[in-house]
């Protein structure tokens, strides 16, 4: 008999249909106006051949071969062991590493979205476990927005993510705005997701409402489809990585014509005079006018001048997407976008001004926030050491090296044990061949995984974990005013256990089980966190009791309303009474603090720095195509690449790469062909899709295809599946943020005429009992 059960994921809430304990299908909820197709595709992956069924240990590691600098990771067979043996191996190794090398030798900066759920948050569970055991080296910032997270507190104050509640919501935009200029676009595919869970997708309807209200959109992106077709957006196909130069040309046009908002700049900002000297060339002899910007960006002088006029004569909003800051000097377009909005005259006016990350997730621009929801309690980390998130390969390869980061000098620690839980570094890190070399350095790599993806294959000890369909929890999405029940839909596959069960068993061996579990079972924890949330909200929230919530599957939280700290409207109204938390209390067009760091790649004001790799670089003679490795439409990062929806998007089993017909014709590439994308860092196979949605000189290959090196462990080997991070550069975007620069990569494409090898990405390694 079929049962229908609530399912919550990062890409929305669904209904699971279960028959006799078997997952039959996943359906969209009736109240979701734009359900993600990723959800139904989860069924095929639930018990596919890639599932990790039992604890497994790499054969060479188990046999006691030299564990430091062992080059067999990624190539070795695995031996399946009992849970008792696995727990013994991990707990003994944690004791040994801490005793011999100190707590900072344990890396627990595990990064990734893992799965929705307030209790079964993989990073929260891992960090709690490691902190109670003595501490660990952590990571800081995110691959998605590292440059933005570091630069914005200097420029507009507040916590790194506080801008989310300070920028206009879609409803305000529809009511008040006339012109939206979106640098990096507004790709609707990205709004499928929300970290922590999502009840209903609203972004598409809200964008339609803006268009129906007469709001005009300009898409500044090398990809036309980075805005939805129904927006009828004007497309300005700027050369990738030139957004800062384009904005400077617009700003110069505003300045010389007297169109800029002198009153706001004088009262609410600091440093405009010094920045103006840079615009006019007084500082460096280069005038940043529209003609200069046109030569760099590929957008004509007349279009730049017209855009400057429209921004200053209409109620306007400047948006920046996250992609433009994942590049060389990624802080600059973020900083410059704030300055441009301040100059344009709409900053701090209803529905106008500045914002970031719209449509990157369904939460952004939908609601300014929600009340706090209880989650697994954090424990202070006794270890002060941390690394910028994208510097993991540097740390493994060069322990003891000193690097700059946001005004600090960091010494990279020596990491001897990596504990990875809820993430996939062989997806999100750049230059996977360099990561392969780095990954051989530590003594031990422990991974929690549900599937034999690349990270599991490059581990020493793999512990099989239950998926979000195989455990009880409740979801609470970022800014989403709903709680969604997540009852266990099916029993865990094989011998899988939850992350919490694993850590509780390890904590028991290590002597702190009671501190870790607080003597609660998992079901008691879920109930406790819900009731804790209910109690903290009080009578006004009117949340039902846990049992009623569990039966109804959804509860609604009260919405938050402004003004929020750091409000630009309040700043405009009275900067003395409502200062920002910057050193000056105002928007810092020139930052004395950043200038004091003395960085040659991030000075005291927004600046055009030529990227290391872009179409204007000398290297474009050899590699004439700019690679855009953006987020996929068919999955979340690499999650459920083995799901039905992602598999259905493949071409002959390879990830699709979009190529402009002009570039394809000059290389004799036809639609549906298998091509080799390559540069000096590596190469991968992909299936060609010809479309004029991408501008000439640009190709688009989404991230997230499970990396499938033809010769695992051999740096530089061909990737058979189509992961763009086999091609991207592993370098920090500047000394300020050390963020990733994935979108600064030059490549070329040729027809692949070799034998078409089988894709092994979704197959387990050799397993022995």
């Amino acid at each position: 008999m079929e049962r229908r059960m609530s399912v919550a994921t990062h890409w929305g809430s669904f209904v699971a249909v279960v028959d006799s304990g078997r997952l039959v299908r996943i359906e969209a909820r009736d109240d979701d106006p734009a359900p993600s197709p990723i959800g139904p595709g989860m069924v095929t992956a639930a018990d596919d051949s890639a599932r990790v069924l039992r604890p497994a240990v790499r054969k060479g590691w188990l046999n006691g071969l030299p564990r430091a600098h062992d080059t067999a990771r990624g190539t070795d067979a695995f031996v399946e062991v009992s849970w008792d043996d696995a727990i013994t191996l991990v707990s003994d190794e944690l004791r040994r590493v801490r005793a011999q090398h100190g707590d900072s030798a344990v890396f627990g900066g595990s990064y990734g979205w893992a799965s929705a759920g307030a209790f079964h948050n993989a990073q929260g569970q891992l960090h709690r476990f490691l902190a109670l055991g003595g501490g660990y080296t952590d990571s800081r910032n995110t691959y998605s927005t590292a440059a933005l997270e570091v630069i914005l507190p200097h420029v507009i104050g507040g916590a790194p993510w506080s801008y989310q509640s300070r920028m206009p919501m879609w409803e305000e935009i529809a009511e008040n705005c006339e012109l939206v200029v979106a640098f990096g676009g507004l790709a609707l595919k990205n709004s499928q997701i929300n970290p922590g869970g999502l009840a209903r997708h609203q972004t598409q309807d809200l964008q339609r409402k803006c268009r129906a209200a007469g709001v005009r959109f300009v898409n500044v992106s090398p990809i036309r489809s980075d805005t939805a077709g129904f927006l009828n957006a004007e497309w300005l196909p700027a050369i990738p990585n030139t957004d800062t130069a384009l904005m400077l040309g617009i700003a110069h046009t505003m300045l010389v014509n007297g169109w800029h908002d002198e009153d706001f700049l004088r009262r609410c900002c600091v440093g405009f005079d010094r920045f103006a000297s840079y615009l006019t060339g007084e500082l460096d002899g280069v005038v940043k006018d529209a003609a200069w910007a046109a030569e760099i960006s590929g957008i004509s002088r007349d279009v730049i001048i017209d855009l400057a006029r429209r921004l200053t004569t209409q109620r306007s909003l400047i948006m920046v997407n996250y992609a433009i800051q994942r590049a060389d000097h990624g802080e600059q377009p973020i900083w410059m976008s704030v300055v441009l909005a301040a100059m344009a005259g709409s900053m701090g006016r209803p529905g106008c001004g500045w914002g970031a990350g719209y449509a990157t997730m369904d939460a952004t621009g939908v609601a300014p926030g929600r009340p706090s929801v209880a989650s697994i309690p954090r424990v202070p980390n006794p270890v002060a050491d941390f690394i910028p998130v994208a510097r993991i390969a540097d740390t493994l390869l060069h322990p003891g090296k000193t690097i700059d980061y946001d005004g600090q000098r960091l010494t990279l620690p020596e990491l001897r044990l990596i504990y990875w839980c809820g993430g996939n570094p062989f997806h999100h890190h750049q230059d996977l061949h360099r990561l392969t070399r780095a990954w051989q350095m530590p003594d031990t790599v422990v991974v929690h995984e549900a599937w034999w993806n690349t990270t599991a294959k490059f581990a020493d000890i793999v512990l099989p974990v239950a998926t979000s369909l195989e455990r009880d929890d409740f979801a609470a999405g970022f800014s989403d005013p709903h709680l969604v029940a997540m009852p266990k839909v099916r029993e865990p596959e094989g011998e899988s256990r939850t992350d919490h069960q694993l850590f509780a068993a390890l904590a028991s061996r290590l002597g702190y089980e009671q501190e870790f579990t607080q003597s609660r079972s998992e079901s008691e924890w879920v109930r406790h966190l819900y009731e804790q949330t209910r109690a903290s909200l009080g009578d006004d929230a009117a949340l039902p009791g846990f049992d009623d919530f569990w039966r109804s599957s959804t509860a609604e939280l009260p919405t938050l309303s402004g003004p929020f700290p750091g409000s630009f409207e309040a700043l405009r109204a009275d900067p003395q009474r409502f200062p920002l938390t910057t050193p000056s209390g105002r928007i810092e067009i020139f930052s004395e603090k950043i200038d004091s760091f003395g960085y040659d790649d991030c000075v005291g004001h927004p600046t055009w720095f030529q990227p290391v790799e872009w179409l204007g670089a000398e290297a474009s003679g050899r590699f004439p195509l700019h690679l855009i490795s953006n987020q996929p439409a068919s999955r979340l990062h690499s999650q459920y690449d083995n799901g039905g929806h992602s598999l259905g998007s493949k071409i002959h089993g390879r990830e699709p790469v979009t190529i402009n017909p002009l570039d394809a014709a000059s290389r004799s590439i036809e639609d549906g062909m298998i091509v080799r994308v390559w540069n000096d860092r590596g190469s991968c196979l992909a299936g060609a899709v010809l479309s004029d949605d991408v501008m000439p000189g640009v190709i688009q290959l989404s991230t997230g295809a499970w990396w499938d090196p033809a010769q695992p462990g051999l740096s530089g080997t061909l990737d058979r599946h189509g992961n763009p991070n086999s091609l991207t550069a592993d370098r920090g975007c500047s000394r300020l943020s050390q963020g990733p620069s994935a979108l600064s990569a030059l490549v070329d494409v040729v027809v692949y005429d070799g034998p078409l090898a089988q894709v092994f990405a979704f197959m387990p390694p050799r397993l022995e009992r």
Side-chain angles (χ1 to χ4, degrees):
M1 181 177 177
E2 288 189 348
R3 289 188 302 142
R4 301 172 67 81
M5 305 176 71
S6 172
V7 171
T9 72
H10 291 311
W11 41 91
S13 296
F14 301 89
V15 175
V17 180
V18 181
D19 189 352
S20 302
R22 184 176 66 90
L23 178 63
V24 177
R25 63 186 179 275
I26 292 177
E27 301 174 348
R29 280 176 37 155
D30 293 339
D31 60 349
D32 192 341
S36 168
I38 299 173
M42 295 168 66
V43 177
T44 58
D47 55 3
D48 70 8
S49 61
R51 281 300 295 262
V52 183
L53 300 177
R54 285 169 286 278
V57 184
R58 187 168 63 81
K59 189 173 183 179
W61 189 94
L62 190 61
N63 290 342
L65 296 178
R67 292 176 179 175
H69 301 197
D70 184 352
T71 59
R73 285 194 186 105
T75 65
D76 222 346
F78 282 80
V79 178
E80 294 184 328
V81 300
S82 70
W83 267 114
D84 186 66
D85 286 346
I87 295 299
T88 298
L89 288 170
V90 175
S91 56
D92 285 353
E93 186 65 357
L94 278 166
R95 282 196 193 97
R96 182 192 71 82
V97 169
R98 291 187 189 277
Q100 294 182 7
H101 305 287
D103 295 318
S104 65
V106 177
F107 182 67
S110 184
Y111 172 86
W113 284 55
S115 64
F119 176 64
H120 289 292
N121 176 282
Q123 285 187 67
Q125 295 280 349
L126 173 65
H127 292 170
R128 178 179 174 81
F129 166 73
L130 292 178
L132 286 169
Y136 59 99
T137 293
D138 199 356
S139 63
R140 188 163 296 181
N141 305 130
T142 67
Y143 279 86
S144 295
T145 58
L148 177 148
E149 291 174 63
V150 175
I151 192 67
L152 280 183
H154 289 290
V155 178
I156 61 172
W161 289 85
S162 66
Y163 68 90
Q164 291 270 347
S165 62
R166 300 157 65 184
M167 61 193 209
M169 299 295 107
W170 285 113
E171 294 276 6
E172 300 172 281
I173 297 168
E175 187 174 342
N176 298 285
C177 191
E178 295 175 302
L179 175 67
V180 170
V181 179
F183 289 90
L186 278 167
L188 201 56
K189 63 180 173 60
N190 297 336
S191 68
Q192 296 180 84
I193 62 173
N194 182 336
L198 181 66
R200 293 189 295 274
H201 293 85
Q202 301 179 68
T203 297
Q204 179 173 297
D205 284 353
L206 290 167
Q207 285 192 8
R208 288 185 182 276
K209 185 173 183 178
C210 290
R211 188 67 191 91
V215 181
R216 299 290 177 181
F217 288 81
V218 178
N219 173 28
V220 184
S221 169
I223 301 175
R224 188 203 318 264
S225 55
D226 270 350
T227 51
F230 62 76
L231 291 179
N232 296 319
E234 176 186 349
W235 184 30
L236 299 185
I239 292 171
N241 290 188
T242 66
D243 301 272
T244 301
L246 178 56
M247 291 184 213
L248 287 167
I250 297 169
H252 181 276
T253 304
M254 292 178 179
L255 176 65
V256 297
N257 287 284
W259 297 341
H260 55 299
D261 187 346
E262 292 186 77
D263 175 69
F264 185 81
L265 293 168
R266 175 179 51 79
R267 293 188 306 108
C268 303
C269 306
V270 294
F272 180 70
D273 289 346
R274 297 181 72 170
F275 175 68
S277 297
Y278 172 71
L279 282 180
T280 59
E282 183 180 337
L283 294 183
D284 60 2
V286 178
V287 180
K288 317 305 182 301
D289 60 11
W292 170 86
E295 186 174 351
I296 294 171
S297 68
I299 304 301
S300 76
R301 172 183 175 276
D302 290 345
V303 168
I304 293 172
I305 292 172
D306 181 61
L307 192 55
R309 178 188 56 78
R310 291 159 64 192
L311 280 167
T312 52
T313 57
Q314 299 180 46
R315 299 190 302 276
S316 61
L317 172 62
I318 292 171
M319 297 179 171
V320 283
N321 214 336
Y322 296 156
I324 66 171
Q325 53 89 64
R326 292 195 295 270
D328 290 333
H329 312 291
E331 300 89 353
Q332 302 308 314
I334 301 299
W335 195 352
M336 186 59 218
S337 67
V338 175
V339 175
L340 193 61
M343 293 179 67
S346 293
M347 193 75 158
R349 301 189 190 281
C352 303
W354 175 89
Y358 287 95
T360 300
M361 48 191 174
D362 195 80
T364 310
V366 174
R370 60 156 170 76
S372 178
V373 173
S375 60
I376 184 74
R378 291 188 65 88
V379 174
N381 183 5
V383 172
D385 289 341
F386 71 91
I387 63 170
V389 67
R391 302 276 61 80
I392 178 63
D394 284 346
T395 304
L396 293 171
L397 290 168
H398 305 292
K401 177 183 176 182
T402 302
I403 65 170
D404 290 299
Y405 170 78
D406 197 17
Q408 304 174 58
R409 294 286 286 168
L410 304 179
T411 299
L412 301 179
E414 183 177 23
L415 304 178
R416 304 302 290 258
L417 186 149
I418 294 176
Y419 207 128
W420 213 280
C421 172
N424 183 1
F426 282 87
H427 147 65
H428 57 245
H429 196 72
Q430 284 66 60
D431 195 346
L432 294 178
H433 302 292
R434 185 171 188 257
L435 184 63
T436 295
R437 298 193 295 273
W439 216 246
Q440 312 304 331
M441 298 296 111
D443 297 359
T444 303
V445 177
V446 181
V447 168
H448 291 197
E449 252 305 334
W451 289 279
W452 282 107
N453 61 18
T454 318
T455 297
K457 292 173 183 176
F458 273 79
D460 297 313
I461 303 174
V462 181
L463 304 179
V465 290
T467 71
S468 58
L469 299 174
E470 299 165 347
R471 60 200 186 196
D472 289 336
D473 209 335
F474 66 92
F478 182 79
S479 291
D480 186 61
H482 301 89
L483 302 180
V484 183
M486 300 173 63
K488 181 165 68 173
V489 168
R490 49 166 283 163
E491 291 302 313
E493 188 74 5
E495 297 179 16
S496 301
R497 300 181 180 180
T498 68
D499 294 310
H500 182 77
Q501 287 175 320
L502 300 192
F503 289 131
L506 287 167
S508 177
R509 293 289 180 92
L510 295 167
Y512 55 91
E513 180 183 14
Q514 198 282 328
E515 293 92 330
F516 179 75
T517 65
Q518 294 186 2
S519 301
R520 293 190 183 95
S521 68
E522 290 189 354
S523 60
E524 289 171 338
W525 265 113
V526 173
R527 180 183 291 270
H528 168 71
L529 295 178
Y530 177 85
E531 293 294 356
Q532 192 177 37
T533 301
R534 183 174 177 236
S536 69
L537 295 175
D539 295 337
D540 292 339
L543 286 183
F546 179 79
D547 292 331
D548 290 338
F549 160 66
W550 205 248
R551 283 190 292 270
S552 62
S553 80
T554 305
E556 191 156 352
L557 298 169
T559 57
L560 300 181
S561 58
F564 295 93
S567 162
F568 300 123
E569 291 187 35
L571 179 71
R572 173 178 281 276
D574 191 339
Q576 300 301 318
R577 186 179 175 193
F578 301 107
L580 305 181
T581 56
T582 58
S584 65
R586 295 182 279 177
I587 295 171
E588 303 235 336
I589 295 174
F590 185 94
S591 169
E592 296 283 357
K593 186 172 183 180
I594 291 177
D595 194 55
S596 72
F597 298 158
Y599 298 156
D600 56 1
D601 56 2
C602 188
V603 298
H605 57 76
T607 304
W608 161 248
F609 295 99
Q610 285 205 36
V612 178
E613 293 184 48
W614 69 300
L615 292 176
E618 183 178 345
S620 65
R622 290 185 60 217
F623 300 109
L625 299 174
H626 195 115
L627 171 65
I628 300 295
S629 52
N630 58 0
Q631 295 302 320
S634 57
R635 57 188 172 266
L636 168 58
H637 299 303
S638 65
Q639 288 189 41
Y640 285 96
D641 189 32
N642 59 333
H645 186 53
S646 185
L647 292 175
S649 72
K650 310 286 184 179
I651 298 175
H652 301 298
R654 327 287 155 162
E655 189 68 15
V657 57
T658 306
I659 309 170
N660 185 278
L662 295 175
D663 294 320
S666 67
R667 294 164 173 79
S668 301
I669 296 172
E670 297 178 5
D671 204 69
M673 281 184 169
I674 298 301
V675 297
R676 183 171 71 94
V677 189
W678 70 286
N679 60 20
D680 288 337
R681 286 181 288 270
S683 62
C684 68
L685 301 183
V689 175
L690 273 55
S691 173
D692 61 5
D693 264 2
V694 298
M695 63 183 284
V698 171
I699 66 167
Q700 178 267 319
L701 177 63
S702 292
T703 61
W706 290 5
W707 192 44
D708 189 32
Q711 295 178 274
L714 177 64
S715 181
T717 189
L718 175 71
D719 169 33
R720 295 171 291 213
H721 192 203
N723 188 312
N725 279 328
S726 57
L727 305 159
T728 54
D730 182 14
R731 57 174 176 262
C733 58
S734 87
R735 293 159 67 190
L736 184 78
S737 72
Q738 296 287 354
S741 53
L743 273 79
S744 294
L746 295 175
V747 300
D748 204 354
V749 180
V750 295
V751 174
Y752 181 69
D753 56 6
L756 195 57
Q758 182 180 356
V759 173
F760 288 92
F762 306 120
M763 298 178 65
R766 289 177 291 128
L767 295 171
E768 301 177 7
R769 295 295 297 267

